[in-house]
Amino acid sequence: MHRQGPVRQKGGPGEAQATGRNPTDRGKPGTKRHLLTEANALPVALVVTGANRHDMTQLAALLDGTVVEPTPAAPPHLALDRGYDYAACREAAAARGYTAHIPPKASEAAPLPPPGHPDRHPPRRWVVEVAHSWFNRFRRLLTRTEKQARHYLGFGHVAAVLIIYRKLRHARLLSG
């Protein structure tokens, strides 16, 4: 039937293929990449979901998807934006050994301090945005053509490996 595809059904087959109604693109089917990076914007974990899924619901899966477990003397820091200001996100980060840095949401009782104020959290989101732009250089990831989510995720992992290789090769050329 017209307009009754898998994307428009709640809990339908579209959810299994990591597609969902894109809230910013007139409800067209879309995909969202959830990305965890280290301090130099190198990708550490990647999760693919439908475009209508909230980021905070995927935090536990993203932290569980890390390839290399952090083993520093102090717990690793996890810088998140205001969209993750929920008790469930803080618990998920603490359960996996991370120290979460999440700025509080604005409310009428506690509005956001003006930019430059010492109580305002510094913006750290640009690190992830740089990594997303590196992923968008791969045409196959910029416009999804694969029907199966595992194929798209596989190409995302190949792109992550290429990004890491290029950055490490460039660092080695500069140091040697």
Side-chain angles (χ1 to χ4, degrees), residues 96-141:
R96 288 157 181 83
Y98 288 93
T99 302
H101 298 280
I102 305 172
K105 287 187 208 173
S107 66
E108 295 208 14
L112 287 180
H117 194 272
D119 291 339
R120 188 169 176 136
H121 281 261
R124 296 185 181 106
R125 185 82 181 146
W126 66 270
V127 176
V128 177
E129 299 303 329
V130 166
H132 276 295
S133 72
W134 292 341
F135 274 92
N136 288 340
R137 291 180 186 174
F138 295 92
R139 204 172 7 176
R140 190 146 202 167
L141 296 178

Side-chain angles (χ1 to χ4, degrees), residues 1-169:
M1 290 179 26
H2 179 63
R3 295 187 152 270
Q4 295 299 318
V7 173
R8 291 174 176 46
Q9 299 171 1
K10 272 198 170 184
E15 188 172 344
Q17 298 308 329
T19 59
R21 294 174 55 98
N22 191 342
T24 61
D25 198 12
R26 298 174 304 184
K28 291 181 183 176
T31 300
K32 185 187 285 188
R33 284 189 311 256
H34 305 273
L35 188 61
L36 178 67
T37 64
E38 53 98 41
N40 295 324
L42 293 178
V44 177
L46 176 68
V47 174
V48 176
T49 62
N52 57 349
R53 305 295 185 268
H54 197 281
D55 292 339
M56 62 104 28
T57 60
Q58 303 303 318
L59 181 63
L62 192 61
L63 294 177
D64 289 338
T66 56
V67 179
V68 179
E69 292 296 323
T71 57
H77 295 270
L78 183 64
L80 300 169
D81 61 4
R82 285 182 178 82
Y84 293 93
D85 188 22
Y86 294 96
C89 293
R90 294 180 193 280
E91 291 168 6
R96 288 157 181 83
Y98 288 93
T99 302
H101 298 280
I102 305 172
K105 287 187 208 173
S107 66
E108 295 208 14
L112 287 180
H117 194 272
D119 291 339
R120 188 169 176 136
H121 281 261
R124 296 185 181 106
R125 185 82 181 146
W126 66 270
V127 176
V128 177
E129 299 303 329
V130 166
H132 276 295
S133 72
W134 292 341
F135 274 92
N136 288 340
R137 291 180 186 174
F138 295 92
R139 204 172 7 176
R140 190 146 202 167
L141 296 178
L142 184 60
T143 303
R144 179 176 169 177
T145 56
E146 288 77 25
K147 291 187 178 187
Q148 295 189 11
R150 60 189 172 128
H151 293 170
Y152 184 74
L153 183 61
F155 285 119
H157 287 158
V158 170
V161 168
L162 287 173
I163 289 168
I164 293 169
Y165 170 73
R166 289 175 184 171
K167 298 302 171 186
L168 292 178
R169 181 186 66 183

